[in-house]
Amino acid sequence: MEPILIYKALSNETRCQIMDWLKNPEHHFEEKKYMEYGISFRTGICVADIQKKSGLAQSVISNYLLTLQRAGLLESERIGKWTYYRRNEQTIKEFSEYIQNKL
């Protein structure tokens, strides 16, 4: 875990929103479509759905997701032609402990 990368990743409102959306995806995305393909929210949320919800260009969202992933806050899994993103709860827990102990 590199705290500086996490601080930078979370210094953008949309990236923080993405982290919030992925915390409780059932409140922000429709799971029925995923279940039709045998995928649950545990796998992650498709980048296309994140892009649609944000209203931003796919290139911008892809860049944001990459920033969050490089900071260790997201994990991804590619299934077919789609990439699914989910939170990396282990890194989030470590960062939370870091904040509590260091700041």
Side-chain angles (χ1 to χ4, degrees):
M1 179 195 70
E2 295 184 46
I4 295 297
L5 290 178
I6 295 174
Y7 291 132
K8 289 179 181 177
L10 295 177
S11 67
N12 174 282
E13 185 175 343
T14 302
R15 290 194 293 256
C16 288
Q17 281 183 318
I18 292 169
M19 293 301 295
D20 183 52
W21 296 339
L22 297 180
K23 184 175 184 178
N24 296 302
E26 65 278 2
H27 296 157
H28 304 282
F29 301 96
E30 187 177 339
E31 191 169 24
K32 183 179 177 184
K33 183 173 71 175
Y34 288 74
M35 294 174 74
E36 291 174 0
Y37 292 102
I39 299 169
S40 76
F41 281 163
R42 296 186 73 174
T43 302
I45 302 299
C46 180
V47 64
D49 288 336
I50 296 170
Q51 184 269 325
K52 184 177 177 182
K53 184 161 184 70
S54 73
L56 299 174
Q58 184 167 349
S59 61
V60 173
I61 289 302
S62 292
N63 190 14
Y64 284 175
L65 292 170
L66 183 61
T67 298
L68 291 166
Q69 189 174 24
R70 284 181 177 160
L73 295 170
L74 294 182
E75 300 173 313
S76 67
E77 184 173 342
R78 187 164 182 88
I79 300 175
K81 64 179 184 177
W82 302 107
T83 302
Y84 296 83
Y85 288 88
R86 62 183 172 274
R87 290 164 45 111
N88 182 341
E89 297 298 340
Q90 180 62 37
T91 297
I92 294 168
K93 180 181 176 189
E94 290 172 12
F95 183 65
S96 177
E97 291 170 359
Y98 171 84
I99 294 292
Q100 289 178 356
N101 295 325
K102 299 289 183 180
L103 294 181

